[in-house]
Amino acid sequence: MRPTSLELSLVSAVFLTFGACGASLADNHRQVPAFSKDTAPPSSRCASTDIGSSAWQACIGSVQLTAADDELFHAGYWLAKTGRYQEARAILERVRVKDERVLTYIGFATRKLGDVAAALPLYDAALAINPNYTVARAYLGEAYLTRGEPDRARAELAEIAARTGATSAPYLDLARHIADYERAEG
């Protein structure tokens, strides 16, 4: 499958941003909460370098459209976590083997773009692959809150507790979202 000119432009923009803007990348990295239900994935080629370092930037900047799935996931993950949802989704959809991580982050980007209904089946597909992937369960719970379905969000919270305990990052993060929702509903 040949990439379209739009896809080539998106990929070029992504990798120029990550490869050429050291301060910008480091700033974007800091915008991701220190406490988060998920952690940044290592890049298979770039895992030995520190995120944001010049070596990491050079490594990520060298990734091409024909990159391995892990490299594409890595770029898509960071785009999603820094609020560039449309670009993230475009990159993540290029991944050839869509595992639970990829499906979860396509769902995350889709939900953040305002299409919660389209995100739900992506989270469900991720959980069909790996029912223990609690990051997907936490994001699914957030989607339910967006739809005004706190009981379904609490059901996902209970699933997370059963699978990883009530002190895991996905549990604590979704519990915080539920508490915020309940406070707002008052």
Side-chain angles (χ1 to χ4, degrees), residues 48-144:
S48 63
T49 60
D50 291 328
I51 299 290
S53 71
S54 60
W56 185 82
Q57 293 165 35
C59 182
I60 294 301
S62 69
V63 176
Q64 301 298 314
L65 189 61
T66 58
D69 284 354
D70 280 348
E71 301 295 336
L72 292 169
F73 174 71
H74 188 263
Y77 170 91
W78 278 109
L79 285 167
K81 294 305 273 188
T82 57
R84 296 171 66 182
Y85 308 119
Q86 193 75 30
E87 294 165 283
R89 193 167 62 182
I91 295 294
L92 291 166
E93 287 173 351
R94 300 277 317 160
V95 174
R96 291 165 282 287
V97 178
K98 292 179 175 58
D99 64 13
E100 67 271 19
R101 302 170 314 152
V102 173
L103 291 167
T104 296
Y105 280 94
I106 294 172
F108 174 81
T110 300
R111 178 172 58 91
K112 290 296 192 171
L113 287 167
D115 194 351
V116 177
L120 293 174
L122 292 160
Y123 295 136
D124 290 339
L127 292 169
I129 293 169
N130 181 357
N132 292 320
Y133 191 54
T134 56
V135 171
R137 290 190 179 282
Y139 284 139
L140 179 58
E142 289 178 36
Y144 288 143

Side-chain angles (χ1 to χ4, degrees), residues 155-180:
E156 290 305 322
L157 187 66
E159 281 292 326
I160 294 168
R163 293 167 192 278
T164 61
T167 59
S168 68
Y171 180 93
L172 295 171
D173 194 61
L174 181 54
R176 180 181 53 82
H177 283 284
I178 292 170
D180 291 347

